[in-house]
């Protein structure tokens, strides 16, 4: 099987998984909205949590992948690693956008303001701009090896923001809530809320994995086509 | 913030707005990705 055929087959194989992930996200919506109790003090707006937190977890995962794979690219110079980093950055940016949209919608009724220049909010916005710069940089450099090297350096720098964003609620005076699962002493959520959150995290992680696979297969297909065209020109 | 007699805040509109916005972003990106895939084949 040629690289083009292999990438095309991967694209076809991913489509049913995308449909499955979307159906599972619909199930998360139904469970969160209809079958999970609202928190007494915050009211229904607290349920934004079940979309906001899993999206933030996936964004962290995506940029962790960008950083790790970019570092591996600089060490091994394997172009597939560069394509994977590019794909993870693009998909991760979508999840970060959801975090930055749902956060203010949650903040308005609870904090009384859409936005505040709090450490966690500001660093997350900064990460979004770094990823935007990463994607713009990739579009601006034509020579593949140079593009991959520059992008890898920026990808690593962007990923370094992730631990700061996670730790920002401990390092700075902030109005953003503390973690409710990954904390010393275990999760603080009641059972039904915790079950919905874990279900949502699992579904959004699957959705991310499927989108990443599809996006990476797309990048591989374009790359394989470009190589095949170059070989035809040289022949 | 408006309060019901039971004390729970009435802010369901924000919840709906957030779920609709998140769903719209994910659906639009997925549709664009699938369209790119079809164009590439």
């Amino acid at each position: 099987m040629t690289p083009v055929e292999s990438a095309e087959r991967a694209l076809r194989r991913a489509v049913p998984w995308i449909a499955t992930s979307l159906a599972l996200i619909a199930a998360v919506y139904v469970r969160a909205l209809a079958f999970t109790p609202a928190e007494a003090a915050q009211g229904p707006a607290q349920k934004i949590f079940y979309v906001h937190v899993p999206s933030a977890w996936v964004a962290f995962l995506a940029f962790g992948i960008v950083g790790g794979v970019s570092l591996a690219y600089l060490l091994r110079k394997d172009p597939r690693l560069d394509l994977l980093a590019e794909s993870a950055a693009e998909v991760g940016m979508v999840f970060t956008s959801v975090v930055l949209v749902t956060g203010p919608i949650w903040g308005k009724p609870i904090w009384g303001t859409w936005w505040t220049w709090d450490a966690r909010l500001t660093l997350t916005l900064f990460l979004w701009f770094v990823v935007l710069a990463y994607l713009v940089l990739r579009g601006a450099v034509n020579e593949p090896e140079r593009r991959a090297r520059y992008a890898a350096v920026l990808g690593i720098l962007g990923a370094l923001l992730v631990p700061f964003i996670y730790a920002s609620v401990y390092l700075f005076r902030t109005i953003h809530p503390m973690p409710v699962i990954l904390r010393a002493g275990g999760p603080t959520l009641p059972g039904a809320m915790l079950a919905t959150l874990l279900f949502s995290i699992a579904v959004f992680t699957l959705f991310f994995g499927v989108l990443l696979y599809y996006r990476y297969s797309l990048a591989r297909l374009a790359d394989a086509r470009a190589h095949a065209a170059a070989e035809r020109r040289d022949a | 913030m408006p309060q019901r007699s039971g004390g729970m805040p009435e802010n369901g509109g924000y919840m709906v707005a957030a779920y609709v916005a998140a769903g719209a972003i994910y659906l639009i990106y997925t549709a664009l990705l699938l369209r790119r895939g079809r164009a590439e084949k």
Side-chain angles (χ1 to χ4, degrees):
Chain A
M1 191 182 287
T2 67
V4 170
E5 287 167 345
S6 162
E8 282 178 344
R9 202 175 75 158
L11 282 179
R12 278 195 304 274
R13 270 202 311 232
V15 172
W17 283 100
I18 291 178
T20 305
S21 307
L22 290 174
L24 285 169
I25 288 177
V28 167
Y29 272 42
V30 171
R31 183 179 165 92
L33 298 176
F35 298 101
T36 305
E39 200 265 335
Q42 292 194 23
Q46 181 270 340
K47 292 189 180 188
I48 295 170
F49 177 71
Y50 304 111
V51 175
H52 181 79
V53 173
S55 299
W57 146 251
V58 167
F60 286 176
L61 175 67
F63 300 128
I65 291 172
V66 172
V69 167
S70 296
L71 185 62
Y73 173 80
L74 290 179
L75 297 173
R76 299 181 52 180
K77 298 286 188 285
D78 182 340
R80 287 174 302 182
L81 294 169
D82 175 53
L83 297 180
L84 182 58
E86 177 195 28
S87 306
E90 184 184 295
V91 179
M93 189 172 186
V94 175
F95 282 83
T96 312
S97 301
V98 168
V99 174
L100 287 170
V101 168
T102 55
I105 298 175
W106 190 4
K108 178 63 180 168
I110 305 305
W111 296 340
T113 181
W114 296 102
W115 185 264
T116 173
W117 295 101
D118 168 277
R120 177 166 278 193
L121 277 64
T122 307
L123 285 173
T124 306
L125 182 64
F126 192 55
L127 176 66
W128 190 88
F129 279 116
V130 170
V131 182
L132 180 65
Y134 174 94
L135 295 172
V136 169
L137 172 75
R138 296 194 65 95
V141 181
N142 285 326
E143 202 274 301
E145 206 270 325
R146 199 149 52 111
R147 175 178 60 219
R149 204 170 63 245
Y150 292 170
V153 172
L154 192 53
I156 292 167
L157 293 175
L160 287 178
L161 278 172
V162 171
F164 281 103
I165 295 172
Y166 178 77
S168 58
V169 288
Y170 300 108
L171 296 173
F172 305 100
R173 287 167 63 88
T174 169
I175 60 171
H176 193 282
M178 292 284 175
V180 291
I181 296 185
L182 297 175
R183 59 183 289 281
T188 54
L189 281 178
M193 293 181 176
L194 182 62
T196 302
L197 179 63
L198 293 177
F199 175 50
S200 184
I201 288 173
V203 167
F204 277 87
T205 305
L206 172 71
F207 184 49
F208 165 71
V210 172
L211 289 180
L212 178 61
Y213 180 72
Y214 193 88
R215 177 63 183 79
Y216 173 64
S217 303
L218 206 53
R220 266 181 50 213
L221 179 59
D223 192 54
R225 287 243 166 86
H227 273 98
E231 278 170 15
R232 276 199 300 274
R233 268 200 312 274
D234 293 343
Chain B
M1 189 179 353
Q3 302 274 320
R4 265 197 233 120
S5 55
M8 188 177 281
E10 287 182 0
N11 51 27
Y14 291 98
M15 175 189 76
V16 172
Y19 275 75
V20 169
I25 291 171
Y26 287 131
L27 280 177
I28 289 168
Y29 178 69
T30 305
L32 289 173
L33 203 56
L34 289 172
R35 200 171 73 165
R36 273 157 76 184
R38 274 199 302 275
E40 200 64 53
K41 278 182 197 167

